[in-house]
């Protein structure tokens, strides 16, 4: 289960980008948890994000991009 928590720098709160890609000039990646090795996954429609086994590259429910405004 994914939840917001105060940062403590523990392994449960560390994420590693895997299977990097780019679409429309925007970089994206799957994010694997350092403790569970599960990837952050969306439910496919409105709902809570979960951790699930990391899939092959380009599973839309696991592709995450961060938009930055300079």
């Amino acid at each position: 289960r994914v939840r917001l928590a105060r940062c403590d720098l523990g392994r449960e709160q560390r994420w590693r980008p895997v299977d990097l890609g780019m679409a429309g000039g925007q970089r994206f990646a799957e994010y694997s948890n350092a403790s569970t090795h599960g990837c952050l996954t969306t439910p496919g429609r409105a709902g809570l994000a979960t951790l699930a086994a990391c899939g092959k590259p380009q599973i839309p429910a696991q592709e995450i991009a961060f938009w930055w405004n300079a």
Side-chain angles (χ1 to χ4, degrees), residues 46-69:
L48 300 175
T50 61
L51 290 177
C54 295
K56 63 181 182 177
Q58 300 181 359
I59 293 177
Q62 292 182 340
E63 292 176 346
I64 300 185
F66 293 98
W67 295 84
W68 303 102
N69 189 3

Side-chain angles (χ1 to χ4, degrees), residues 9-66:
L9 301 178
R11 289 182 55 82
E12 301 83 22
Q13 294 182 347
R14 295 183 188 190
W15 299 87
R16 155 177 90 87
V18 294
D19 296 325
L20 303 170
M22 185 173 285
Q26 177 65 42
R27 293 184 187 274
F28 63 84
E30 293 177 0
Y31 284 85
S32 174
N33 184 268
S35 179
T36 67
H37 305 289
C39 278
L40 190 59
T41 305
T42 64
R45 55 184 141 119
L48 300 175
T50 61
L51 290 177
C54 295
K56 63 181 182 177
Q58 300 181 359
I59 293 177
Q62 292 182 340
E63 292 176 346
I64 300 185
F66 293 98

